[in-house]
Structure formats: structure tokens, C-alpha cells
């Protein structure tokens, strides 16, 4: 898998940057994101980082092509379009078209009632993150099993491995798992991100989210 294995510092930095790009893509869109799409900066970053982490070239080209069409468009108009599409796909009323939470996917797979925050899978993810010095900010009321948060966490672990940031002092009784990046990717990301991406690809009306879905599929199904 492209993001697993022993790496040099530069390779860890590339993996961290790629995870950051996916995380930004899976958050509520900002005007800055729309501007990066319209200028071509996002397409360039996706192509470069995808190549650096070793995504298969034809899959990467498909994902990149879907975002190059935004070049030259009006950023303000695109910003509003992406916000509407993001809300339809991942927020919804009363439920999203595509659930962005690992715990919900796991519960539905097991035939259980999906619960926010207190699902077994969400609590497992929270414990894993705490063991690596990461917890939910007091002012934020969002489950840590959101797909964007998972990629943000992988970015953090990649930067720890690159020795760019220092692992914080852990609470007594907690110890960072061995090969935490690979372990978290295998246990809590790849086992549902493919289904998430396929559902997003089928439901998305905006080329941007189709591109993000293709990038995720190229990553987790390689």
C-alpha cells in the first residue's frame, strides 16, 4: 500500500502532505479551497503528491483530470457550489447521502444501530488517538471517527515519523502503538474508506468529490 512501509524523512513528509490534502478535501469547503481549484494549484498538488506516494499513474490521472476542469472558473461561485454539494453528500437532512463516520459504517455492517461518539468503533479510534497524544479539543463537538479527522491524524503520525513534530508527553498508562501510522491505516481507515469512496463516487454530482473519491480508491485498493 502506498502509505505503508519504512520511509525516508522526505517520504514521510510526502505522505503527511497527501493526507493533509485529503483531509482538507473532506472538510466543509472553504473559499481558499475553491481558489486553489480555480487556479490549478489543487490539481498540481494532487498530481505531484499522488506520484510521490506511489499511486498508480492511470488512477491518479483520472483523479487529477476531474479537478483540472475547474481551472479558470469563478472561485466565489465554485465555493457556494461545493458547499451545497458537501452538505448534500456528507451532512444532509435528516441524514447524509454518504456517512463520513467510520463508526456508522462499522455499525451498519454489523447490523447495529449507528450511534455518534459512543459507538464501539468510534471509541476504539479515540483510544488509539489518545495513545498517540491526540484528543478531542474541548471546544469541538465532533466525533473523531470522521474521515477527514482520520486523515488529519495520519498526517500527524507522518510528521512525527519525519521528526518534524515531537510526540507530546503521554498520560500515565498510555503508550504509542508500534508502527502507529501503518496500524491506524490498516485497522481504522482502509477497512471502510473504500466503501465510503465508492458511495461518494456514485452519489457525487460535482467533479471535485468524484476526484477525491478516486484518489481514496487509488490509495486504499492498490
Amino acid at each position: 500500500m502506498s502509505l505503508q512501509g519504512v520511509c525516508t524523512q522526505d517520504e514521510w513528509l510526502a505522505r503527511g502532505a497527501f493526507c493533509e490534502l485529503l483531509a482538507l478535501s473532506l472538510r466543509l469547503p472553504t473559499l481558499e479551497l475553491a481558489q486553489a481549484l480555480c487556479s490549478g494549484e489543487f490539481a498540481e498538488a494532487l498530481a505531484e503528491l499522488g506520484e510521490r506516494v506511489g499511486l498508480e499513474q492511470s488512477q491518479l490521472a483520472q483523479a487529477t483530470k476531474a479537478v483540472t476542469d475547474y481551472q479558470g472558473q469563478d472561485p466565489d461561485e465554485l465555493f457556494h457550489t461545493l458547499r451545497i454539494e458537501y452538505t448534500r453528500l456528507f451532512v444532509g437532512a435528516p441524514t447524509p447521502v454518504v456517512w463520513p463516520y467510520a463508526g456508522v459504517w462499522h455499525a451498519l455492517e454489523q447490523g447495529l444501530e449507528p450511534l455518534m461518539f459512543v459507538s464501539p468503533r468510534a471509541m476504539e479510534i479515540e483510544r488509539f488517538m489518545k495513545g498517540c497524544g491526540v484528543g478531542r479539543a474541548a471546544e469541538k463537538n465532533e466525533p473523531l471517527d470522521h474521515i477527514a479527522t482520520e486523515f488529519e491524524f495520519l498526517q500527524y503520525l507522518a510528521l512525527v515519523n519525519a521528526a518534524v513534530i515531537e510526540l507530546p508527553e503521554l498520560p500515565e498508562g498510555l503508550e504509542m502503538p508500534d508502527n502507529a501510522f501503518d496500524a491506524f491505516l490498516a485497522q481504522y481507515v482502509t477497512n471502510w474508506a473504500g466503501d465510503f469512496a465508492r458511495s461518494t463516487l456514485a452519489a457525487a454530482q460535482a467533479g471535485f468529490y468524484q476526484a477525491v473519491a478516486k484518489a481514496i480508491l487509488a490509495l486504499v485498493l492498490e
Side-chain angles (χ1 to χ4, degrees):
M1 189 166 297
S2 299
L3 293 188
Q4 289 183 313
V6 178
C7 302
T8 64
Q9 183 185 50
D10 284 346
E11 288 169 336
W12 278 122
L13 289 173
R15 293 175 185 197
F18 186 73
C19 289
E20 180 184 21
L21 190 69
L22 290 179
L24 289 171
S25 301
L26 294 163
R27 288 289 182 202
L28 186 66
T30 63
L31 179 58
E32 289 75 19
L33 173 62
Q35 290 169 336
L37 285 164
C38 294
S39 69
E41 181 183 351
F42 186 97
E44 291 174 4
L46 178 60
E48 178 185 347
L49 292 172
E51 183 174 359
R52 287 177 64 189
V53 301
L55 295 190
E56 197 274 325
Q57 284 298 306
S58 64
Q59 294 175 319
L60 178 60
Q62 290 179 25
T64 304
K65 185 179 184 303
V67 293
T68 56
D69 292 341
Y70 291 112
Q71 294 182 33
Q73 292 189 21
D74 180 82
D76 291 312
E77 290 182 6
L78 180 59
F79 168 60
H80 292 296
T81 298
L82 291 180
R83 284 234 164 177
I84 292 170
E85 177 72 338
Y86 181 93
T87 301
R88 182 185 72 85
L89 285 172
F90 307 126
V91 180
T95 60
V97 176
V98 182
W99 283 101
Y101 301 103
V104 172
W105 282 87
H106 184 258
L108 293 174
E109 187 179 69
Q110 300 297 314
L112 303 174
E113 180 75 19
L115 301 171
M116 304 295 286
F117 292 100
V118 295
S119 71
R121 180 53 55 92
M123 295 176 72
E124 282 180 39
I125 290 171
E126 185 164 351
R127 284 194 294 271
F128 192 108
M129 290 182 177
K130 283 184 178 179
C132 300
V134 174
R136 186 186 300 111
E139 69 277 8
K140 290 191 176 181
N141 187 33
E142 181 182 89
L144 295 177
D145 62 333
H146 191 286
I147 190 164
T149 303
E150 290 197 329
F151 279 115
E152 287 171 352
F153 181 62
L154 286 172
Q155 177 198 3
Y156 161 79
L157 292 177
L159 294 180
V160 170
N161 288 341
V164 171
I165 60 175
E166 186 176 345
L167 184 70
E169 185 175 345
L170 300 178
E172 187 175 352
L174 290 180
E175 184 176 352
M176 186 168 177
D178 293 333
N179 301 316
F181 185 100
D182 288 357
F184 188 80
L185 183 66
Q187 294 173 32
Y188 299 116
V189 181
T190 59
N191 59 359
W192 76 284
D195 290 334
F196 167 86
R198 277 187 289 267
S199 295
T200 300
L201 188 59
Q205 297 171 359
F208 173 67
Y209 290 109
Q210 294 173 2
V212 173
K214 288 176 181 178
I216 294 173
L217 285 171
L219 172 66
V220 302
L221 299 182
E222 187 178 53

